[in-house]
Amino acid sequence: RVSGNIYATKIWMKFMSKLQFSVNLSAPMNHLITLATDYEKFQQFLPDQLKSIRIIKKEINETITEEVIVFSSIIKNQIKQSTLHKQISDDAIISEILSGPAKGTIMKTAFVKIDSGTRVDVEIDMKLSLKARLLSPIIKKKYKTVLLGILYRMNGIALKMKWKNGRFFRNNKLG
């Protein structure tokens, strides 16, 4: 009987670590995907939270990045993590955190063309340390807020992008 309760608790905790949402954006799908796969420029979308990001390894459809993320609340905390990003199709990306407190977290992002622009579907299976699991509802809310902020900023930039010979330009500069 006790083991059944432990099993139920594990299932509940796993269920609580999922986060799914969709957002409709007015920018063209290809513009958003271009921005979403330009990992070194992510710092412009999160200047206060993303202290640095650098590419460790890059192949055709796979990129490993190393990020230094700053969390500011009552106590300023900084974490370093590496992430594997795979573009699994022309319209979908899977990112897996390889190191750090959220190691094993997987985020799937799909871009779907709609009449008004693009729908972005995000599904995250968070793997959090035991200490972080206690704050899971707060972490999920923060994750969603930050990701929506990134997507809205990308949308604003994507709407200003101009294409020439398969590459995009922003403010008369190559992006």
Side-chain angles (χ1 to χ4, degrees):
R1 200 154 183 83
V2 172
S3 63
N5 289 338
I6 291 170
Y7 178 73
T9 302
K10 285 181 181 179
I11 290 173
W12 180 80
M13 289 186 107
K14 184 171 183 165
F15 174 77
M16 293 302 291
S17 66
K18 294 248 186 217
L19 172 63
Q20 290 180 299
F21 66 90
S22 295
V23 62
N24 291 341
L25 302 172
S26 53
M29 187 175 79
N30 60 337
H31 290 55
L32 291 170
I33 292 170
T34 297
L35 290 170
T37 56
D38 191 357
Y39 305 108
E40 288 184 315
K41 294 211 169 112
F42 268 37
Q43 194 170 7
Q44 73 184 3
F45 305 123
L46 290 171
D48 296 332
Q49 292 90 10
L50 192 56
K51 185 175 179 181
S52 67
I53 184 167
R54 68 182 179 95
I55 292 177
I56 296 173
K57 182 179 175 185
K58 185 170 178 85
E59 294 179 7
I60 294 172
N61 290 322
E62 265 186 33
T63 303
I64 297 177
T65 57
E66 179 182 83
E67 307 91 27
V68 177
I69 303 166
V70 176
F71 295 98
S72 295
S73 55
I74 297 170
I75 301 170
K76 194 172 186 177
N77 190 17
Q78 183 172 297
I79 64 164
K80 189 177 189 178
Q81 70 180 30
S82 59
T83 307
L84 170 64
H85 309 275
K86 290 182 186 180
Q87 188 163 356
I88 57 170
S89 67
D90 289 342
D91 58 1
I93 302 164
I94 292 182
S95 298
E96 178 181 0
I97 298 176
L98 302 174
S99 66
K103 180 181 177 177
T105 294
I106 296 175
M107 181 170 84
K108 298 173 187 172
T109 308
F111 300 84
V112 180
K113 186 175 181 172
I114 57 175
D115 289 340
S116 61
T118 307
R119 185 182 77 232
V120 182
D121 298 324
V122 178
E123 181 181 323
I124 303 170
D125 184 10
M126 288 189 221
K127 304 292 184 199
L128 301 171
S129 66
L130 184 59
K131 183 174 149 184
R133 279 186 194 165
L134 298 172
L135 301 172
S136 181
I138 296 167
I139 291 170
K140 286 192 330 186
K141 185 177 180 182
K142 182 72 171 170
Y143 240 81
K144 183 176 179 180
T145 301
V146 167
L147 290 172
L148 282 170
I150 291 170
L151 291 169
Y152 286 128
R153 286 180 187 141
M154 282 183 179
N155 186 63
I157 291 169
L159 289 171
K160 297 174 186 173
M161 292 167 59
K162 297 186 190 307
W163 287 86
K164 186 175 182 180
N165 299 328
R167 298 178 80 184
F168 72 90
F169 292 79
R170 288 184 294 198
N171 300 335
N172 299 322
K173 293 182 181 178
L174 182 62

